[in-house]
Amino acid sequence: MKRVLVVEDEIKIARLVRDYLRQAGFEVLEAADGTAALTLARSEKPDMIVLDLGLPGMDGFDVTRALRATSSVPIIMLTARSEETDRIVGLELGADDYVTKPFSPKELVARIRAVLRRADATVGGGEMIRVGSVEIDIPKRRVTLEGREIELTATEFDLLLVLARQPGRIYTRAQLLDAVHGVSFESYERSVDAHIKNLRRKLEADPKRPELVVTVYGVGYKFSDA
Ligand code: CA
C-alpha cells in the first residue's frame, strides 16, 4: 500500500483529502504545518507528499526546499487558482505537479496515481524512449515519428528528450532552458517558445492543435501522457 503524507492546515480540506485517499486505497499520514511535515517525511518515508503551499510558519516552498535537499519523494502542491507564479516557483523548487484549489478529490487521486506511475517508471535510464508514435534513440540522437526519421536541431532534440523522459510532467520555461544549458533570463525564456514551435512543426500532425508537446497555460510545457 502506497503511503501519502498530506500537509494541510485547513482541517476541513485535510479531512476530505484523507478520507478520499483512504477510500482510494492509500495509507494516509497527516501534518498541519511544515515542521511536522518534515519530521514525518524523514521518519516515515512516505511514497508521496501532498503539500498545501499556504501553511502557517514555514510555508510550502520552504518545505519543498528542505525536502529536496535530501529527498526526491514525489510532491504535489495544492495552490490557489489565482497564483500562477506560485506554481512556477514550486515546480522550479522541485515539486512534481500541482492541483489548484478548489479541486475535486477525484482529480487529486488521479494526479497522485499519475505522479507515482512516473516515479516508478524506468524510462529515463535506457537508451531508447518510446512514447506513442515517437521513438528517441538517445546515443544516436535520432528521432522517428511513426518510423519516419525527423530532423531536429541539437536544441530541439534536447528539449524533446527532457519532455519525453517524463510524459505528463510539467516543466517551466526556465527548467527547459536549464535542461538545454541555456541561461535563464526572461527574454531567453521566450526563446523556449520558439524552439517548441519548431519542434511542433516537425512532430505534430497539426502544429496549431498540438497533441504531443502540450502547453500548460501560464506555466510551461509537458509531453502528453494521454
Ligand atoms: Ca492553507
Side-chain angles (χ1 to χ4, degrees):
M1 195 186 274
K2 296 278 190 186
R3 291 203 299 174
V4 180
L5 169 59
V6 177
V7 188
E8 169 63 81
D9 59 313
E10 283 166 73
I11 293 169
K12 263 194 186 162
I13 299 179
R15 274 194 195 139
L16 178 76
V17 170
R18 177 194 63 200
D19 293 348
Y20 210 88
L21 292 188
R22 282 193 180 144
Q23 238 180 346
F26 294 102
E27 189 183 328
V28 180
L29 305 164
E30 291 174 272
D33 63 64
T35 314
L38 288 178
T39 306
L40 270 176
R42 283 176 191 137
S43 63
E44 302 298 320
K45 306 241 181 302
D47 298 292
M48 152 79 63
I49 299 180
V50 174
L51 177 64
D52 183 33
L53 285 184
L55 295 169
M58 196 181 193
D59 70 14
F61 297 126
D62 299 329
V63 175
T64 304
R65 215 175 274 120
L67 283 168
R68 280 293 173 261
T70 56
S71 157
S72 59
V73 59
I75 300 171
I76 294 182
M77 305 176 279
L78 302 179
T79 75
R81 194 167 291 282
S82 55
E83 300 301 331
E84 225 159 58
T85 50
D86 280 1
R87 285 168 228 159
I88 294 180
V89 171
L91 291 169
E92 283 171 2
L93 286 174
D96 295 83
D97 201 353
Y98 60 83
V99 172
T100 46
K101 287 180 175 178
F103 56 87
S104 79
K106 200 173 158 189
E107 181 195 356
L108 178 63
V109 168
R111 297 294 190 90
I112 289 174
R113 292 215 165 102
V115 170
L116 285 172
R117 231 183 1 254
R118 243 154 52 203
D120 289 342
T122 51
V123 66
E127 303 209 312
M128 286 291 277
I129 293 176
R130 288 185 195 84
V131 214
S133 53
V134 177
E135 222 174 76
I136 307 173
D137 182 329
I138 301 169
K140 291 187 180 149
R141 295 179 66 86
R142 278 186 57 201
V143 176
T144 59
L145 176 69
E146 285 159 2
R148 189 162 50 83
E149 187 160 354
I150 305 285
E151 295 259 359
L152 297 179
T153 66
T155 303
E156 288 158 13
F157 179 88
D158 289 338
L159 275 178
L160 177 65
L161 185 57
V162 175
L163 290 164
R165 269 190 203 278
Q166 288 197 291
R169 176 166 193 150
I170 300 164
Y171 290 93
T172 67
R173 291 178 176 81
Q175 283 175 318
L176 289 173
L177 201 61
D178 193 45
V180 297
H181 313 294
V183 185
S184 183
F185 288 111
E186 186 139 10
S187 60
Y188 292 121
E189 283 180 30
R190 294 297 144 191
S191 76
V192 168
D193 296 344
H195 292 303
I196 294 280
K197 200 173 162 193
N198 292 335
L199 200 50
R200 283 172 170 164
R201 194 166 41 76
K202 295 175 181 181
L203 285 180
E204 303 280 356
D206 179 356
K208 291 209 173 91
R209 287 187 198 78
E211 289 174 351
L212 298 173
V213 180
V214 183
T215 302
V216 182
Y217 185 71
V219 180
Y221 297 98
K222 65 176 185 179
F223 199 92
S224 171
D225 58 349

